[in-house]
Amino acid sequence: MQVRSLGFRTDLALLRLGGSIIEDRGDHLVVSSPHNPTFWWGNYLLLDHVPGESEADRWLELFAAEHPEAAHVALGFDGTTGSKEDLAPFTARGMHVDAATVMTASSVHEPPRTNREATYRALESDADWAQSVELRMACNEGQFPAERHRLFVEAKSATDRSLVEAGHGRWFGAFLDGALVSQLGIVGAGHGLGRYQSVETHPDVRGRGLAGTLVHHAGREALERLGGQTLVMVADPDYLAVRVYRSVGFTDTETMLTAERAPTGT
């Protein structure tokens, strides 16, 4: 299966680097991450088209057959355009659908509101990575069952660190008085592509320009020192962060369609 979506191509490249298994079934890919079974978007199906009403149940049954232990459901739909309305068959089946914006930049500049209070640097020590886990937990507090979510976050952080230590990318943070308050990763996805990961800022310090400044800092590092030529970001078009990314030089390039169902009780 030839994947057209830049968002999914870079996702798959990073998953492969992290040890996920990707099986090509012709009209779809089966993505599995045995090292992190609670990672929804490490355990999903990527379809080569957006199915209609008559096909929806078949794909849900196939997901269950391919991921029999999964408590969630996650489907991606290859392509470069589309809208949530195209996924109406899955909305009707109680799934959350999304049409994310894939953004790209070949250069970056400072945001209009640059934060100069924080120290911006790569994560390096055990203490840095421990803070990374706690920051992600704080950013998602109340959204998921805490114990289950911590298992996911710790496993994902271990994968992220292994990619950094293998030389595939870097994880950057903004620190205020030694405390990690904003973070993101950039990982090489091949062909000169650098994919941003998990842009997060602690709820207590949002609105101070930290994320935009960190996106600029990390992007400059990737383009100048990590051999990147094109930076890739996937963002929610309805969330304020997309304006932050545009403010440092990113432009809207594609649309990325997904459908998911959280585990019961989440």
Side-chain angles (χ1 to χ4, degrees):
M1 174 177 159
Q2 284 294 118
V3 179
R4 294 164 288 158
S5 164
L6 181 60
F8 281 119
R9 286 207 315 272
T10 52
D11 266 351
L12 293 168
L14 270 57
L15 287 166
R16 285 192 184 94
L17 290 173
S20 297
I21 300 165
I22 300 169
E23 300 171 271
D24 191 341
R25 300 293 169 76
D27 62 351
H28 69 283
L29 301 179
V30 180
V31 182
S32 305
S33 299
H35 55 288
N36 194 354
T38 61
F39 180 18
W40 300 357
W41 292 104
N43 298 276
Y44 72 99
L45 301 185
L46 177 60
L47 286 57
D48 69 355
H49 67 290
V50 176
E53 173 65 34
S54 63
E55 297 181 85
D57 288 332
R58 180 174 74 85
W59 287 108
L60 294 176
E61 291 166 3
L62 184 59
F63 178 91
E66 295 287 1
H67 295 290
E69 304 299 321
H72 71 281
V73 179
L75 302 174
F77 309 94
D78 189 30
T80 60
T81 60
S83 67
K84 292 181 182 180
E85 287 70 27
D86 297 329
L87 302 178
F90 297 96
T91 304
R93 286 160 174 80
M95 299 183 71
H96 172 76
V97 302
D98 191 33
T101 299
V102 181
M103 313 179 77
T104 57
S106 57
S107 64
V108 291
H109 51 77
E110 286 193 345
R113 186 180 181 188
T114 300
N115 182 293
R116 305 194 189 281
E117 301 172 77
T119 299
Y120 301 89
R121 63 172 177 81
L123 273 60
E124 298 173 347
S125 66
D126 290 345
D128 286 346
W129 285 98
Q131 285 203 69
S132 174
V133 168
E134 297 309 318
L135 174 56
R136 181 165 294 184
M137 291 297 296
C139 289
N140 295 286
E141 187 175 4
Q143 296 183 38
F144 309 101
E147 185 175 348
R148 179 191 295 168
H149 190 56
R150 182 171 287 276
L151 290 174
F152 156 71
V153 169
E154 290 178 345
K156 184 65 169 61
S157 181
T159 299
D160 295 337
R161 187 173 185 178
S162 71
L163 292 178
V164 170
E165 292 179 346
H168 296 303
R170 301 187 82 183
W171 213 264
F172 296 92
F175 294 81
L176 288 172
D177 298 323
L180 179 66
V181 294
S182 187
Q183 66 177 338
L184 60 82
I186 297 185
V187 180
H191 308 288
L193 298 171
R195 173 66 188 269
Y196 277 79
Q197 293 281 282
S198 305
V199 183
E200 299 170 314
T201 301
H202 195 286
D204 291 346
V205 293
R206 289 175 183 166
R208 291 167 58 174
L210 289 159
T213 307
L214 186 59
V215 167
H216 167 251
H217 172 86
R220 191 183 64 225
E221 289 272 332
L223 292 167
E224 295 177 0
R225 297 181 177 85
L226 301 180
Q229 298 170 4
T230 302
L231 303 175
V232 182
M233 176 88 74
V234 176
D236 181 346
D238 299 320
Y239 188 57
L240 57 88
V242 76
R243 298 197 296 272
V244 173
Y245 308 147
R246 290 172 184 146
S247 77
V248 300
F250 280 84
T251 58
D252 300 6
T253 304
E254 298 177 357
T255 300
M256 183 175 171
L257 300 179
T258 58
E260 64 186 27
R261 178 185 295 141
T264 303
T266 299

